[in-house]
Amino acid sequence: MAVSREQIITAAIRHLNAVPTASMAEIATAVGISRATLHRHFTSRDDLVTVLGWRALADWERVQQEAGIAEAAASGDRARLQEALHALLHGEVAICHEHGFLLTENTLPADLLRRSDEIEDREVEFLAACQRAGLIRADLPVRWVSSAVFGLLVAVTESVRRGDVAQRDVPRLFLDTFLKGTS
Amino acid sequence: MAVSREQIITAAIRHLNAVPTASMAEIATAVGISRATLHRHFTSRDDLVTVLGWRALADWERVQQEAGIAEAAASGDRARLQEALHALLHGEVAICHEHGFLLTENTLPADLLRRSDEIEDREVEFLAACQRAGLIRADLPVRWVSSAVFGLLVAVTESVRRGDVAQRDVPRLFLDTFLKGTS
């Protein structure tokens, strides 16, 4: 039975989260296909990682939209902002299980990084609104708050990969540490 | 005038912190030497990064020793533990300006990673002692606490590299966020 592109992507993601530096040959073995078949779908490791990178950005945008961060920021309403902040953080830690290895992937192309900066800019605007509403300390530079989210997501990814922390405990640990650290 | 190995290392570190994915050719240009000269000192990018990695581990161990974490953990004394914890975090954020790019470097050799795990194990023992003394919340898994330190150091490195946060504000932001987040 032929393995579909979608099945290859799913298995590749699983392997890259376990072994972030895996080569194309190692990914092919983990997926259970030949190197030639993998190369028919993706010309290089960079090509594969770039495809996964664009998926990650699409999921990140979806999390922002489902959390309603733009509407909450526009409203300035404290309760709405708090609800959106929790939804955002929960959504981000959830997609981390799929995309976490990309947080420390150094070979992403410039156009993808520019798009990533744009999505982060929206998050920064939302976090600034949370600061104005008193949900996040106003004396912290908002770009530091955004970096702290990023850094703690790296911590989540590393902890789960090394088996240090149970996956079901991760949302609580992440939200707890971030919210206490910044509020 | 010939450029010394030490001068090459210093300039390479500066460039890799600005551009973590820099190739040997780009590093040579940034250092102001030919590619041939750089290759006489380091056979490959991996070779260079490994040399820098061992330096980073030596500095990390020095920070742990100067902070006196082993003695503080053995004493179990709250005031001594608190002093050692602050010294440790200050020391770590200080060496981050030199070694930060290594935190997300994916090509480090296995023996270096094993040594890194040993040094982290000592820190975990110390953080556990801080939990027993009530300085860090005891309901957080100690490996998560250690990962949060790591993640926030990644945040520090990224913030400074992107120019989001002034270097002189970094120790306060890092300690504040970590200590509030975990205490």
Side-chain angles (χ1 to χ4, degrees):
Chain A
M1 199 184 71
V3 178
S4 72
R5 184 181 167 91
E6 207 45 44
Q7 288 172 312
I8 294 173
I9 287 179
T10 305
I13 286 172
R14 194 180 311 123
H15 189 65
L16 282 164
N17 275 306
V19 187
T21 56
S23 66
M24 284 294 266
E26 290 159 1
I27 294 167
T29 305
V31 175
I33 55 177
S34 71
R35 231 178 124 168
T37 304
L38 182 57
H39 275 282
R40 259 203 306 282
H41 287 275
F42 304 98
T43 55
S44 64
R45 188 182 184 282
D46 283 359
D47 180 27
L48 170 61
V49 167
T50 299
V51 168
L52 304 184
W54 285 110
R55 283 191 172 218
L57 292 189
D59 275 351
W60 187 12
E61 281 203 271
R62 183 182 49 74
V63 163
Q64 287 187 340
Q65 279 160 12
E66 287 179 4
I69 65 169
E71 300 80 356
S75 79
D77 179 71
R78 188 185 155 96
R80 278 187 72 177
L81 282 163
Q82 182 157 37
E83 201 180 322
L85 178 59
H86 283 247
L88 177 72
L89 296 172
H90 270 289
E92 287 181 341
V93 78
I95 62 172
C96 226
H97 296 310
E98 185 168 345
H99 306 299
F101 74 94
L102 289 162
L103 293 169
T104 52
E105 175 65 52
N106 284 328
T107 58
L108 300 167
D111 57 341
L112 192 149
L113 294 176
R114 266 195 305 278
R115 186 84 193 100
S116 174
D117 285 345
E118 287 167 17
I119 302 174
E120 187 180 355
D121 284 347
R122 274 189 235 146
E123 195 149 316
V124 164
E125 278 176 45
F126 169 71
L127 293 169
C130 290
Q131 288 185 304
R132 287 190 296 274
L135 291 167
I136 294 174
R137 282 165 53 193
D139 64 319
L140 298 173
V142 68
R143 292 270 169 189
W144 166 253
V145 176
S146 177
S147 287
V149 172
F150 165 77
L152 290 173
L153 289 172
V154 172
V156 160
T157 305
E158 273 296 290
S159 300
V160 172
R161 189 179 65 74
R162 304 199 301 186
D164 286 343
V165 173
Q167 199 150 318
R168 68 163 183 284
D169 292 336
V170 156
R172 179 184 63 85
L173 294 171
F174 170 68
L175 264 79
D176 241 48
T177 307
F178 174 74
L179 293 172
K180 284 225 171 65
T182 60
S183 68
Chain B
M1 199 183 73
V3 178
S4 73
R5 184 181 168 91
E6 207 46 44
Q7 288 172 312
I8 293 173
I9 287 178
T10 304
I13 286 172
R14 194 178 312 123
H15 189 64
L16 281 164
N17 275 305
V19 187
T21 56
S23 66
M24 285 292 268
E26 289 160 2
I27 294 168
T29 305
V31 174
I33 56 177
S34 72
R35 232 178 124 169
T37 304
L38 182 58
H39 275 282
R40 259 203 306 283
H41 287 276
F42 304 99
T43 55
S44 64
R45 188 181 184 282
D46 283 359
D47 180 28
L48 169 61
V49 167
T50 299
V51 169
L52 304 184
W54 286 109
R55 283 190 173 218
L57 291 189
D59 275 352
W60 186 12
E61 281 203 272
R62 183 182 50 73
V63 163
Q64 287 188 341
Q65 279 161 10
E66 287 178 3
I69 66 169
E71 299 80 355
S75 78
D77 179 72
R78 189 186 154 95
R80 278 188 71 177
L81 283 162
Q82 182 157 37
E83 201 180 322
L85 179 59
H86 282 247
L88 177 72
L89 296 172
H90 270 288
E92 287 180 342
V93 77
I95 62 172
C96 226
H97 296 310
E98 186 168 344
H99 306 299
F101 74 96
L102 289 162
L103 293 170
T104 52
E105 175 65 51
N106 284 327
T107 59
L108 300 167
D111 58 341
L112 192 148
L113 293 176
R114 267 196 305 277
R115 185 84 193 101
S116 174
D117 285 345
E118 287 168 16
I119 302 174
E120 186 180 355
D121 284 347
R122 274 189 236 146
E123 194 148 316
V124 164
E125 279 176 44
F126 168 71
L127 293 169
C130 290
Q131 288 185 304
R132 287 191 296 274
L135 290 167
I136 293 175
R137 282 165 53 191
D139 64 320
L140 297 174
V142 66
R143 292 271 169 190
W144 167 253
V145 176
S146 177
S147 287
V149 171
F150 165 77
L152 290 173
L153 288 172
V154 172
V156 160
T157 305
E158 273 296 289
S159 300
V160 172
R161 189 178 66 74
R162 304 199 300 186
D164 285 344
V165 173
Q167 198 150 318
R168 68 163 183 282
D169 292 337
V170 156
R172 179 183 64 86
L173 294 171
F174 170 68
L175 263 79
D176 241 48
T177 307
F178 174 74
L179 293 173
K180 283 224 172 64
T182 61
S183 68

